[in-house]
Amino acid sequence: MLRKTCTRCDKRSFSSDASNRWICPYCQKDLTHVLAEPSEMRCRRWPLRVFKLIRSRNS
Ligand SMILES: [Zn+2]
């Protein structure tokens, strides 16, 4: 999932695809050219998972 923060109303919207047109669901501003960031939920889980995988392989 990707996340964009609206430059007008400052609310966050989520999408799995940043290549499509991205309209703020709250104020309808066009956010297509705003930089998308990875969603926090997965961003925090992934590095830990990968780290554990590497550890279990080495030991
Ligand atoms: Zn907005």
Side-chain angles (χ1 to χ4, degrees), residues 2 11 22 29-30 32 44 48 56-58:
L2 294 166
K11 287 181 176 166
W22 193 312
K29 184 174 165 58
D30 189 342
T32 308
R44 284 180 189 169
L48 189 67
S56 62
R57 274 184 186 172
N58 288 343

Side-chain angles (χ1 to χ4, degrees), residues 1-2 6 8-9 11 17 19 23-25 27 32 34-35 41-42 48-49 51 54:
M1 286 288 273
L2 294 166
C6 181
R8 184 194 282 163
C9 70
K11 287 181 176 166
D17 187 4
S19 58
I23 306 294
C24 175
C27 71
T32 308
V34 175
L35 191 70
M41 291 177 278
R42 281 198 184 177
L48 189 67
R49 262 194 186 176
F51 179 68
I54 293 166

